Every structure is written in C-alpha cells, then in structure tokens.
C-alpha cells in the first residue's frame, strides 16, 4: 500500500503481526454537514480534511500497521459501491473487504458481524475498530496507542483510545481513568473507572482541571475471542443471532437476518456492562469533525482567520468558513459566517449556529427532497455521472467510466440518448451493432434499443450524454445484464 | 404597445400629441450590483424589480404616453443587440429606435445626438429624457409630471423631475426650488434656484426639514430647438461637432466622430449653466436602485424582513437580501446579510457594506476576469448561449435561437461541434449539405467545415452543442456572412 503516513517505529517486544486486523466503521449517515453531506453521501465519503476523503484518510492511517487483506470495512448497502470505489483507489484488496448492511443497526451489530467473520479464520485476532469519519493529525501517536492497546487486548481487556482533552468540550462523551494496568511496554494503559455522558460546560471544565478524563473517540482494540465471549455473556440474543449471519458468506447481509439484530451501540450494549475495559491515553490531534464549526476549528486558517476551500475571494473578511465546491465565492466585510457552496445548493449560516442545522435541512427536504439526498454528481459502481442541466424534454449529463468498467446492458422505454465521447475510448453496444468510439465521435441510441457502454481502455472514458424524451428519471431502465449484480 | 401600466387621464388643455418623443438612456455600465451586473450586462438590462428588466419597465412606463416610433434608446455598442432584443419583445418599432455609441461619453453627447436626430424631423419636438435603470412605483404620477414638464418646456424651460424626498438621503444630488412659474395647468412647476451636490447627513436632514428640496433623478423634458440653442450657446464645440454626427445616418455612431465629443454629463455641461431651468415636484415612488441595499429597501420583504428572489429557504433568518439566480440558497440564523448567487459566482456581504463592493470586484477581476465581464449565459443578436460546462478539450453549451433568427455562416480552425436539437426545428448548412433537423436529431461539424444554424420556425430553437478541440475560445471563428453585419 503506497502511503504518505509516517511509519511508527518502536522496539516492540510484542508483535501482533499476522493477528492484527482492522475494522473500519463506514456506515454513518447524517446531514450535519449539509449541503456537502447528503443522505447518499455521508461525511466519511467526503474530502473534508484534505485531498482524500475521511474514510481514505482513515485507511491510510491504518494501512501502515495492517495488511490490506486484513482490513474489513462495514458500510450501508447504499454506500457500498462508493466505499468500494474509494478503497479500490488505495488498494484493490481493500475493496474485497467491504461488508454491507442492508439496514443500519448502530455500531454493535456491525462490529460483532465483522468480528465473527474474522474469528472464523483467526479466533485470537487482535482487532482495532476505527470510525471512518474522524480526523487524526498525528498518525505516529495513533499507531503507538494502537500497539499499546493490543497489549491490553492480549491481556483480556477491551482497550479504548482515550483522547487527551484540549479544552472543556461539551460535544463528546468522557472516559474516566482509574489505576494503571502496569502492562509491560504499555505503561500508560489504565483501567476505566466510568463512562460519562456529554457533560455541561462546568462539568467539562472540572474534568479538565481534575485530570484523568479523556474524550471517547469510539476507537478500541480487543481480541476476537474475548469480544465474542463478552458478547455472549452480556448480549446473548445478539450473540445467538450472529451465528446465522456468519453462516452466510455473502458480503451483503441478508435483510431478514440483519433486521433480527438489535439496534444497539457498542457503548450502551457492551462497554458499560463489561468488567475488563481499559483506556489508552493518547494525544493524536483527534477531532470528530462533527459540524462545520468543528471543521473550521480543525483546519488551517489564513491570516484573517478564514478557512478557505475552493475558489474563494475574501476582502475585509474575518473568521469565516468559506467553502466552495463549485463556482466562485466572494465576500466583503463578512465576519464569523459559514458559507458552503455546492453545484446545486448554498448554505449561509453564522458559525456559532451551524451545529443546529437540522430544522433547516428538514425545511429544504420538504421543498426539494433531492437536495438532501443526492448531489448533481452521482457515484455508480462503474464510475459516476454529473447532471449538467435538465429541462423540459431533455437532460444533459457528463458520464465518467473507469478503466475496465462496464455499464449494464440496458434499455429505456421513454428516452433516446445521444453520446459524444470527449475523452478516452468506448466500446459500444447499440442495438445489433458493436463498435468502438474514439474522442470526438458520437452515436445515437433510440428509445427501446438495447445498449451498453464500456471503457476497455487504461484511462478514464468521458462522454456527454443528451437524453430526450417525456420522462427522464433514473427508474426508466430495464437491465439485461450487469457485472455488478444489479439486474 | 400592450402595456400593464395604468393610463394617465387628465383633462388636458395642452396636448403634446405627435410632438412628444422619449429618449431612453441605456448606456450605463458598472458593477455595483455584481455578481448580477457584469461589464457586458449592466443594471438596466437586468430584472431587478420584477419579471422584466429595468429598461423594459422604463419603456412600459413611457409607452402609454408616446408612440413606439418616437422612442429613441441610446446605448453602448456592446449592449446594442441585448437592448434591441429586450425592446423587440415589447414592440418591434422600439428596436428600430436604438442608437449605439462606440464609446461612452457620459450623458450630454448621448442626449445631444438623439435630440439632433429628432430635431431633423421635428424641430419643435417635446423630448422627455429618462434613465433606463431606475424604479418608479407610481406610473400615473410619472405621467402627470411628464405632461406638466411639457408645458414648462413649451414655455422655454428645461424641466427636471424633482423627486420629493422620503428621507435624508445622502446618495443623491438635490434641486432647490424657487418661485412657481405659474404655468396654466402646471401650477406646481417652479424655477430651479440651485443644484446641490450629494450632501452629508446633517445637510440632508436640514433640506428635508426646510422643504423645497428635491432629489435629482436625472429625468427631464425640453423642446428640441430650445435645447440645441442652449447647447450652441453654452457648449459651442459640442454643438459644432454634432453636425457631422447628425449628417451620418448610421445608428451606430462612427468612432472618430463620437470620440471628438467631450466626456460631459448634462448636469455639469449644461444644466448648471442654463438660465431657464424648472423643476416639477413629483412623488412617484422613485428609486435609483443603485446598490443591493437600495434594492433591499425598495422591494417587498416577507414577515421576517427577508427580500427573497429565486429558490430560497430561510429559517430563523431576518432582514436579509437573499437572491438566487441559479441553484438553491438556504440560510439559518442569518441576520442583515446580502447573498447574491449566480451560475458561476456568489456574493456574501453584510447589507450595510454592499455599497462599497468596488475593491472586492477589483480583486475578483484580478483573479478571474470573465467573472466581472460576462455571465455563463451570453446574449447574441440571434438569441443566446449558456455554457453548461468546460473542461480540457471540450465545452458544452445550450444554444437558443430566436424564431426567424440565423447565426453567421462560419468556420472554426480548432474545434469540431456536435449539435443535438432538443426543442424546435433547425435549418442547417454543414459543408456542402443543407437540411432540416427536428427535435432529437443531431449533426456533426468537423473543424474547418463551413456551417450555419438557423431557426426557420415560429418557436424558439434549442440545441445542445458539444465542442471538442485544443482551443475552444469564442475568437476561433471565421465569418463568411452575417445578417447582423458582424463579418
């Protein structure tokens, strides 16, 4: 795995080696980062902290410690192809390790499913579980904490990462540490005294003053067999239901089996009832980037205190979050405002109110549902398409097909399509004919004709598609064959 | 002229009738309303106060008083086709009355040129001169003031509209009125005592308290022969230079002749030196809409004090100007901010600072010149085009051709074009071939092929054009024939 993350180097007397696994939780949904996050494109799949997405950042961090064949990523079926695509660009084996939930069931079932799968091959696996949508600025500290947590896991503990507080945060749960476990090579690891819900400000301030309190970042390490034993004791029904699920080898969980699992977080379902829980204090520049304000705080600002992304011109403006995904954004005399601009929607909100976006997003959804669900660019297993414009009787798209990818053999009842290749080479099936199209060549597909688009080449294929007809929705499609199993 | 403007009805003892002319000044430029106004699309050509543009509103107001054949519109040559197009939708004769300046020379040359043209046909014409970019909410009062001003003009005066102040405005020049002229049927008309530059606040407050002061809205009425005599006396060089210009019958002034005219406003060049100047006090809901704040103040607000235009969702937001030309705009907890969103640029600025946009626009221009010059939709004499997307080696446009309109016969050295008709019927010349294309039909024009696009029909023709090639700028065009004289 080609990675820019610095390598953690300590003289290890304990090496997890082939027993080290990582489970990445990538099923989260939510629209707290609307208009960038949408129900089809949650936070972990967005590039909020650099050039790659938060999930890709997570994988890079994990990638220096564990082989790609031992990384399991659990996501919702709706995000499956997007997740696989993002992982594939880092290492093809990562895409093979994607498990998809047909329905969200919170963290406990996701972790239990992945653990049971791993345990079938390696019962004493040391599994690190990581959120896919958090930021970590110091990957070496992350790696050191992981190695220390593994020693605690080997000693029978479920070992949590405890983030050293940098301020009296009220948005996170806290872990209070008790005595040291005195583990050789992991002296900082302590027993957990108690878990504390998100505190109010004065409580948070006293935790900070008192010391021994850490933010619960939802990252932990355990041994597969210890975890499953703990699950059997504390949640016997879940443990029993797992058996049927693990018996099925599919990477997409059958709906009936998965629905029978309880909707439970690992915190409420397991951690608060477990007896051997440890905390590894770590200062690794962690942030959950849970709102636009958190992103503003976490990211670099210019000399005027503006956090800028994309094409932005700010004059006499201070302490703003100015984020443009599409088009130019210009501000004058603006202070303490968050502006987030996408191809089809712009949010403008004072920074100190961006944590309360829910009623706004609900109102937007009421008015125009798609604005909260999809972007103008939609990912498909074969690549993506971007809607350039829609109008009465026509729709114009730019379609990007990845090298080697192939759309389904399909047919539409109500629309005809014109395709013009603007980059790469296409192999086309159009009715009875099969042929290649190069850049600057075109073809016309009348409605009811079977057709297929494929990129047989080594570089991305791009076409402009012009659809015409009285009905131009995505559900006017009859699939005859699809390498992604969508018929 | 089909107009929704209420008709002014008074028992006139004096009827201007066939001697009544209107000169509309539509040459103004400026970017105080950026990103909506651009150097190629100034304020008068924008729909800032309803469904039609300010210039169209002006023409509607004037239209109930004067025949379309007696309306002259003076504009800059850059805006000529846009102006003609906008006027044509109101009445074809209006488009015939467009005079174009090859270079801006302020108001005096524009008015003098139009007046000299009219005087050739009708020396005693009564000419009303009106800005094309102001708002007037009470057209009946406007019409009454015009009729009264004509009586003063007939009596030898240059008669200005004096807008009754509604507050201590510091953004306008003032006219101080002296004694009544005691004109029969126009008793309110007074002699002008003096002109006052834009005052400071305390001066403006004292004018308001004292009374007898009016805002100078730059609208006035005079008799053509009186005006020319006044010009000859006060600006003899301009008067002499006019002769050559009026000798030329072209509707586009020759550059050398026009450049020889002085760059002078009618205020400094004439009004302040004239002896017979009158003012007609009028309360007609006038506003110059000179900034986004002026537009906010002038337009209707919702119950939260938000002025909304386009697709806007505002929650817990108050007293904002929320203007979206393209895409959705959503605000939460926002107060006193102006947001103006177009297809390629968004402005966000506190309302109390929008009058000072110049440094911002200069900065934007430095970064991306076209953002201050053109919109993604560009008007042409035959219709318009909208850039949907540009990328390496391709550009996608939607092209709208008006019924009966015809693009030039042309050729490109560096780009090929694919055309798909999405609405209407096209007559096409493509190399040696000439043919019709209907909806859902397409053609391909290789580079260096002569081609022409025409709408022979009665409804607008729309095509999607996909250009491919290494150089895709507008200046790669060789024109062989053009009904708009652009070869």
């Amino acid at each position: 795995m080609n990675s820019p993350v610095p390598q953690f180097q300590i003289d290890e007397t304990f090496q997890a080696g082939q027993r080290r696994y990582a489970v990445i939780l990538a099923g989260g949904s939510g629209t707290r980062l609307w208009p960038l996050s949408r129900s089809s494109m949650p936070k972990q799949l967005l590039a909020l902290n650099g050039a790659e997405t938060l999930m890709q950042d997570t994988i890079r961090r994990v990638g220096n410690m564990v082989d790609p064949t031992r990384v399991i990523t659990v996501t919702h079926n709706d995000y499956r192809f997007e997740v696989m695509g993002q992982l594939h660009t880092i290492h093809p084996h990562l895409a093979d390790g994607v498990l998809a939930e047909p329905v969200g069931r919170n963290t406990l079932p996701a972790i239990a499913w992945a653990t049971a799968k791993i345990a079938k091959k390696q019962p004493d696996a040391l599994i690190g579980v990581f959120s896919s949508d958090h930021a970590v600025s110091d990957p070496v500290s992350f790696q050191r904490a992981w190695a220390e947590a593994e020693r605690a896991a080997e000693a029978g503990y479920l070992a949590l990462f405890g983030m050293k507080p940098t301020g009296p945060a009220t948005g996170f749960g806290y872990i209070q540490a008790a005595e040291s476990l005195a583990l050789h090579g992991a002296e900082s690891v302590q027993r957990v005294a108690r878990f504390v819900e998100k505190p109010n400000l004065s409580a948070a301030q006293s935790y900070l003053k008192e010391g021994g309190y850490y933010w619960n970042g939802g990252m932990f390490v355990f041994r597969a067999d210890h975890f499953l034993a703990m699950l059997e004791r504390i949640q016997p029904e879940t443990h029993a239901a797992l058996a049927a699920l693990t018996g099925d080898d599919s990477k997409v969980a059958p709906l009936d089996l998965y629905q029978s699992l309880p909707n439970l977080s690992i915190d409420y379902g397991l951690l608060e009832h477990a007896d051997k829980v440890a905390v590894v204090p770590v200062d690794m520049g962690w942030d959950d980037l849970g709102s636009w304000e958190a992103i503003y705080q976490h990211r670099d600002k210019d000399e005027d205190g503006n956090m800028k992304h994309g094409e932005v011109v700010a004059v006499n403006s201070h302490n703003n979050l100015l984020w443009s995904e599409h088009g130019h954004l210009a501000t004058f005399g603006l202070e303490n405002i968050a502006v987030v601009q996408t191809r089809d929607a712009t949010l403008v909100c004072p920074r100190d109110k961006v944590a309360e976006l829910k009623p706004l997003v609900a109102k937007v959804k009421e008015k125009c549902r798609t604005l909260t669900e999809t972007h103008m660019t939609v990912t498909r297993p074969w690549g993506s398409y971007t809607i350039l414009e829609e109008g009465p009787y026509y729709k114009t798209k730019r379609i990007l097909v990845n090298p080697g990818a192939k759309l389904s053999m399909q047919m539409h009842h109500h629309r005809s399509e014109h395709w013009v290749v603007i980059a790469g080479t296409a192999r086309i099936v159009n009715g009875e004919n099969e042929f290649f199209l190069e850049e600057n060549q075109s073809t016309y597909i009348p409605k009811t004709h079977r057709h297929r688009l494929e990129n047989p080449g080594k570089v991305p294929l791009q076409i402009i598609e012009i659809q015409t007809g009285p009905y131009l929705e995505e559900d006017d499609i009859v699939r005859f064959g699809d390498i992604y199993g969508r018929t």
Side-chain angles (χ1 to χ4, degrees), chain A residues 433-447:
Chain A
N433 303 310
E434 206 168 329
F435 52 92
F436 289 95
L437 285 187
E438 298 171 26
E439 280 167 25
N440 198 29
Q441 294 185 321
S442 66
T443 191
Y444 168 66
I445 300 134
K447 63 183 174 185

Side-chain angles (χ1 to χ4, degrees), chain A residues 147-158:
Chain A
E148 290 182 5
E150 281 173 340
R151 289 175 188 255
E154 188 64 11
Y157 285 85
L158 197 154

Side-chain angles (χ1 to χ4, degrees), chain A residues 306-320:
Chain A
N306 296 311
M307 194 262 116
K308 292 188 205 161
H309 174 94
E311 298 294 341
V312 174
V313 175
V315 175
N316 292 354
S317 297
H318 303 90
N319 306 323
N320 304 287

Side-chain angles (χ1 to χ4, degrees), chain A residues 226-459:
Chain A
H226 297 166
F227 177 92
L228 291 171
M230 203 185 286
L231 187 71
E232 186 170 18
R233 186 167 49 81
I234 300 171
Q235 299 286 353
E237 285 171 30
T238 304
H239 187 267
L242 257 192
L245 188 58
T246 327
D248 187 293
D249 261 349
S250 163
K251 288 177 179 174
V252 181
L255 180 62
D256 54 338
L257 295 182
Y258 214 78
Q259 254 174 340
S260 72
L261 295 172
N263 200 331
L264 262 180
S265 75
I266 190 160
D267 300 66
Y268 289 110
L270 211 60
L271 294 182
E272 300 195 353
H273 311 285
D275 47 357
K276 292 187 79 173
V277 187
V279 59
V280 186
V282 59
D283 186 358
M284 60 185 195
W286 172 86
D287 200 298
D288 81 338
L289 302 182
S291 68
W292 284 115
E293 177 60 12
I295 289 169
Y296 174 84
Q297 294 297 344
H298 186 78
R299 301 270 316 246
D300 290 340
K301 270 77 76 179
D302 68 12
E303 63 277 17
D304 292 320
N306 296 311
M307 194 262 116
K308 292 188 205 161
H309 174 94
E311 298 294 341
V312 174
V313 175
V315 175
N316 292 354
S317 297
H318 303 90
N319 306 323
N320 304 287
L321 175 121
L322 303 173
W323 192 291
S324 178
E325 290 284 318
H326 184 80
H328 292 251
L329 174 58
T331 70
F332 183 78
L334 201 69
E335 312 275 333
N336 302 310
I337 303 283
V339 185
V340 183
Q341 174 166 297
T342 67
R343 202 179 260 266
D344 57 356
T346 300
L347 166 74
V348 186
C349 178
R351 269 181 40 219
D352 62 6
K353 297 204 175 73
V354 284
E356 312 152 31
L357 284 188
K358 257 195 180 148
L360 178 70
V361 176
K363 197 86 181 265
V364 168
K365 188 171 184 173
E366 207 174 272
K367 192 180 173 197
C368 180
R369 197 180 179 85
T370 55
L371 279 182
T372 63
E373 290 181 346
T374 54
H375 277 286
M376 299 295 266
T377 295
V378 175
T379 311
R380 290 286 190 240
W382 42 260
S384 66
Y385 68 80
T386 301
I387 298 170
L388 301 182
E389 195 178 61
E390 335 185 33
Y393 240 77
Y394 78 96
K395 188 186 271 188
T396 306
K397 287 179 176 178
R398 179 167 41 77
I399 295 177
L400 171 74
V401 186
N402 294 327
K406 198 179 194 173
L407 280 70
S408 58
M409 178 73 83
Q410 56 190 241
M411 183 269 274
H412 312 292
H413 288 112
H414 303 296
R415 69 176 185 255
S416 302
E417 295 177 343
H418 299 258
W419 291 350
V420 178
V421 176
I422 56 171
T425 298
R427 177 149 52 206
I428 307 271
V429 176
N430 185 353
E432 297 307 306
N433 303 310
E434 206 168 329
F435 52 92
F436 289 95
L437 285 187
E438 298 171 26
E439 280 167 25
N440 198 29
Q441 294 185 321
S442 66
T443 191
Y444 168 66
I445 300 134
K447 63 183 174 185
T448 75
H449 272 224
R450 287 158 66 111
H451 57 279
R452 179 165 222 165
L453 176 61
E454 179 184 353
N455 180 359
K458 300 296 180 196
V459 298

